[in-house]
PDB file of all heavy atoms in Angstrom:
ATOM      1  N   ALA A 884      30.325 -21.196 150.935  1.00 97.00           N
ATOM      2  CA  ALA A 884      30.245 -20.545 152.249  1.00 97.00           C
ATOM      3  C   ALA A 884      29.420 -19.272 152.166  1.00 97.00           C
ATOM      4  O   ALA A 884      28.576 -19.000 153.036  1.00 97.00           O
ATOM      5  CB  ALA A 884      31.643 -20.242 152.772  1.00 97.00           C
ATOM      6  N   PHE A 885      29.652 -18.501 151.106  1.00 97.00           N
ATOM      7  CA  PHE A 885      28.859 -17.269 150.953  1.00 97.00           C
ATOM      8  C   PHE A 885      27.425 -17.584 150.558  1.00 97.00           C
ATOM      9  O   PHE A 885      26.479 -17.019 151.118  1.00 97.00           O
ATOM     10  CB  PHE A 885      29.488 -16.341 149.915  1.00 97.00           C
ATOM     11  CG  PHE A 885      28.653 -15.108 149.674  1.00 97.00           C
ATOM     12  CD1 PHE A 885      28.710 -14.049 150.557  1.00 97.00           C
ATOM     13  CD2 PHE A 885      27.801 -15.031 148.590  1.00 97.00           C
ATOM     14  CE1 PHE A 885      27.918 -12.922 150.362  1.00 97.00           C
ATOM     15  CE2 PHE A 885      27.007 -13.912 148.380  1.00 97.00           C
ATOM     16  CZ  PHE A 885      27.067 -12.852 149.273  1.00 97.00           C
ATOM     17  N   VAL A 886      27.246 -18.475 149.597  1.00 96.00           N
ATOM     18  CA  VAL A 886      25.902 -18.808 149.132  1.00 96.00           C
ATOM     19  C   VAL A 886      25.067 -19.399 150.270  1.00 96.00           C
ATOM     20  O   VAL A 886      23.877 -19.102 150.397  1.00 96.00           O
ATOM     21  CB  VAL A 886      25.960 -19.781 147.938  1.00 96.00           C
ATOM     22  CG1 VAL A 886      24.567 -20.269 147.554  1.00 96.00           C
ATOM     23  CG2 VAL A 886      26.626 -19.101 146.735  1.00 96.00           C
ATOM     24  N   ALA A 887      25.691 -20.229 151.104  1.00 95.00           N
ATOM     25  CA  ALA A 887      24.969 -20.811 152.235  1.00 95.00           C
ATOM     26  C   ALA A 887      24.538 -19.725 153.212  1.00 95.00           C
ATOM     27  O   ALA A 887      23.393 -19.728 153.698  1.00 95.00           O
ATOM     28  CB  ALA A 887      25.856 -21.837 152.950  1.00 95.00           C
ATOM     29  N   GLY A 888      25.448 -18.790 153.509  1.00 96.00           N
ATOM     30  CA  GLY A 888      25.099 -17.709 154.421  1.00 96.00           C
ATOM     31  C   GLY A 888      23.975 -16.850 153.883  1.00 96.00           C
ATOM     32  O   GLY A 888      23.007 -16.536 154.598  1.00 96.00           O
ATOM     33  N   LEU A 889      24.084 -16.477 152.611  1.00 94.00           N
ATOM     34  CA  LEU A 889      23.051 -15.641 151.998  1.00 94.00           C
ATOM     35  C   LEU A 889      21.734 -16.403 151.879  1.00 94.00           C
ATOM     36  O   LEU A 889      20.659 -15.858 152.157  1.00 94.00           O
ATOM     37  CB  LEU A 889      23.515 -15.176 150.618  1.00 94.00           C
ATOM     38  CG  LEU A 889      22.561 -14.259 149.840  1.00 94.00           C
ATOM     39  CD1 LEU A 889      22.267 -12.989 150.625  1.00 94.00           C
ATOM     40  CD2 LEU A 889      23.141 -13.920 148.472  1.00 94.00           C
ATOM     41  N   GLY A 890      21.812 -17.665 151.477  1.00 93.00           N
ATOM     42  CA  GLY A 890      20.599 -18.462 151.318  1.00 93.00           C
ATOM     43  C   GLY A 890      19.861 -18.665 152.622  1.00 93.00           C
ATOM     44  O   GLY A 890      18.626 -18.523 152.687  1.00 93.00           O
ATOM     45  N   LEU A 891      20.594 -18.984 153.697  1.00 94.00           N
ATOM     46  CA  LEU A 891      19.960 -19.176 154.996  1.00 94.00           C
ATOM     47  C   LEU A 891      19.404 -17.859 155.534  1.00 94.00           C
ATOM     48  O   LEU A 891      18.376 -17.840 156.217  1.00 94.00           O
ATOM     49  CB  LEU A 891      20.963 -19.775 155.978  1.00 94.00           C
ATOM     50  CG  LEU A 891      21.338 -21.233 155.696  1.00 94.00           C
ATOM     51  CD1 LEU A 891      22.455 -21.687 156.623  1.00 94.00           C
ATOM     52  CD2 LEU A 891      20.118 -22.140 155.864  1.00 94.00           C
ATOM     53  N   ALA A 892      20.087 -16.758 155.199  1.00 95.00           N
ATOM     54  CA  ALA A 892      19.582 -15.445 155.622  1.00 95.00           C
ATOM     55  C   ALA A 892      18.253 -15.134 154.949  1.00 95.00           C
ATOM     56  O   ALA A 892      17.298 -14.668 155.590  1.00 95.00           O
ATOM     57  CB  ALA A 892      20.614 -14.362 155.295  1.00 95.00           C
ATOM     58  N   VAL A 893      18.184 -15.398 153.648  1.00 93.00           N
ATOM     59  CA  VAL A 893      16.939 -15.167 152.903  1.00 93.00           C
ATOM     60  C   VAL A 893      15.833 -16.077 153.427  1.00 93.00           C
ATOM     61  O   VAL A 893      14.679 -15.653 153.593  1.00 93.00           O
ATOM     62  CB  VAL A 893      17.159 -15.384 151.392  1.00 93.00           C
ATOM     63  CG1 VAL A 893      15.835 -15.356 150.646  1.00 93.00           C
ATOM     64  CG2 VAL A 893      18.106 -14.324 150.834  1.00 93.00           C
ATOM     65  N   ALA A 894      16.180 -17.333 153.725  1.00 92.00           N
ATOM     66  CA  ALA A 894      15.185 -18.270 154.249  1.00 92.00           C
ATOM     67  C   ALA A 894      14.661 -17.798 155.604  1.00 92.00           C
ATOM     68  O   ALA A 894      13.441 -17.829 155.861  1.00 92.00           O
ATOM     69  CB  ALA A 894      15.802 -19.660 154.370  1.00 92.00           C
TER      70      ALA A 894
END
Side-chain angles (χ1 to χ4, degrees):
F885 177 80
V886 173
L889 181 59
L891 290 173
V893 171

